[in-house]
Amino acid sequence: MYKLGLIGYPIGHSSSPWIHEQLMKQQGVQGKYDLLEIHPDKFDEEISSLKEKGLDGFNVTVPFKEKIIPHLDAIDESALHLGAVNTVKRTENGWIGYNTDGSGFVHSLKNRFPDIFQSGSKALLLGSGGAARGIYEALTGSGMDSVDIANRTIGRAEEVIEQISSRAQAEALTLAEAEESLGSYDLVVQTTTVGMSPNDQQTIIRLNRLTKGTVVSDIVYRPMKTKFLKEAEINGARVHYGHEMLLQQAVYAFKIWTDTEPEALPLLDKFEQKLKGV
Ligand code: ATR
C-alpha cells in the first residue's frame, strides 16, 4: 500500500490525485495519493512532521520546489543542476529528490512531434521562472542545437543561460525581439502563467510572424486551449498542450516511486474529458 501525496500552496484544484489514482489502477498498484497543503509560513515545521507520516513519496509544487532541498538526504544530478525538485522518494538512505518536469515536457513533445528533434532545429522559450529552467535544461540536453530565451526582464533570461550550462547555442531576447524573429523557430514554448484562468484573455506575445508548421506549446492547462494556442493555430502552427506535460511528469514520478512502467498515452483522452468538465 503506497502512501503518496502532493505538497504545495494552494493546491485545492490539483489534478495530481486523479492522475495518480488512474496510474495505480493501470499498474495494479494499491495506494493513496493525498493533497497535503502547507502554508508557506509553516513550511519548516510541517516538513519535519511530514517525515513522521511514513510517506513513500510525494510531489512538490509551487512555492516549495527550491525550499524542499535542504530537507533532503540526496538529490539526483538533474534536479541538483536545476536547483529545483518536484518528486521525492523515501528510501532506506532517506529522502531522495528528483525533477521530472523537464523530462516530462520533452517526452510528451517527442511523442507527438518527433520531427522537430533534428539537428539544426531552433527553439524559443518565453519566460525565465522555475518551469522555464526545467524545460531549458531538458531541451538543451535532448539534441536541440539552439534554444533561445525571451523574457519580460531580459536579465533573468541571461541568468538562466549562464547558470544552466549546455552545448546548445543560446541567446537572451526581449519579448519584442522574440515577436520580431518568431519566423525563425521550429518550436516556441510559453512557460509563464500568462493566459492562465481567470486571466485567460492575456497572451505574452503576438504570434502573427510564425512560420506555418512551427510547433507551439503552452504549459498552462487551465484553460486547456489557451488564447496563445488558439492564436498559434490561426497562424498555421501545430499545438502541444500543457496537460500533456502534466501527465507525463506525473508518469515519471510514479515510475520512480513504484518501479513500474506506467504509460501516459492510454490516459490522455480521459484526462482531456476531465479537464473539459465532460
Ligand atoms: P515560476 O517559478 O512559477 O515559473 P516565476 O519565477 O514567478 O514563476 O516566473 C514567472 C515568469 O513569468 C517570469 O518569466 C516572469 O517574467 P519576469 O521575469 O519579467 O517577472 C513571467 N511573467 C509573469 N507575468 C508576466 C506578464 N504579465 N508578462 C510577461 N511575463 C510575465
Side-chain angles (χ1 to χ4, degrees), residues 54-273:
L55 286 172
D56 296 293
F58 56 94
N59 285 126
V60 185
T61 189
V62 180
F64 304 135
K65 289 185 184 186
E66 286 143 34
K67 273 181 118 176
I68 189 73
I69 290 175
H71 298 273
L72 302 175
D73 300 292
I75 180 164
D76 98 328
E77 204 179 322
S78 157
L80 186 66
H81 196 195
L82 281 173
V85 161
N86 81 329
T87 301
V88 176
K89 179 179 183 166
R90 185 172 54 123
T91 70
E92 53 196 26
N93 300 319
W95 278 1
I96 317 290
Y98 301 84
N99 196 312
T100 68
D101 286 333
S103 54
F105 174 81
V106 167
H107 186 101
S108 66
L109 192 66
K110 252 188 187 162
N111 266 343
R112 296 259 317 280
F113 306 108
D115 59 295
I116 55 171
F117 289 87
Q118 294 173 0
S119 74
S121 279
K122 277 191 81 175
L124 171 68
L125 302 191
L126 303 169
S128 301
R133 296 170 71 88
I135 291 173
Y136 179 77
E137 202 231 4
L139 269 183
T140 54
S142 74
M144 282 262 166
D145 284 337
S146 159
V147 183
D148 293 344
I149 307 182
N151 196 42
R152 180 176 60 181
T153 314
I154 190 171
R156 288 190 74 198
E158 286 164 354
E159 267 170 38
V160 175
I161 292 169
E162 250 170 56
Q163 287 167 5
I164 305 177
S165 54
S166 86
R167 46 156 285 284
Q169 283 188 13
E171 210 183 313
L173 309 172
T174 63
L175 294 176
E177 286 167 341
E179 269 183 3
E180 281 295 310
S181 57
L182 213 53
S184 64
Y185 294 99
D186 305 284
L187 169 69
V188 177
V189 190
Q190 199 300 107
T191 73
T192 77
T193 52
V194 177
M196 188 186 285
S197 178
N199 300 314
D200 55 8
Q201 286 312 303
Q202 294 178 355
T203 55
I204 188 161
I205 58 169
R206 281 174 300 143
L207 293 171
N208 48 317
R209 288 180 192 253
L210 270 180
T211 300
K212 281 200 177 40
T214 295
V215 173
V216 175
S217 177
D218 195 336
I219 69 159
V220 170
Y221 62 94
R222 282 200 176 91
M224 199 172 109
K225 190 181 266 186
T226 57
K227 186 168 185 219
F228 187 76
L229 290 185
K230 286 181 188 160
E231 289 189 0
E233 272 187 346
I234 291 168
N235 286 289
R238 298 178 284 165
V239 301
H240 174 253
Y241 295 90
H243 69 270
E244 299 179 67
M245 169 187 178
L246 183 69
L247 193 56
Q248 190 64 48
Q249 64 76 27
V251 162
Y252 279 144
F254 191 85
K255 189 173 167 169
I256 289 170
W257 295 323
T258 62
D259 295 320
T260 57
E261 293 294 330
E263 284 185 74
L265 281 180
L267 282 184
L268 196 57
D269 273 355
K270 208 168 167 187
F271 189 34
E272 285 173 5
Q273 300 299 317

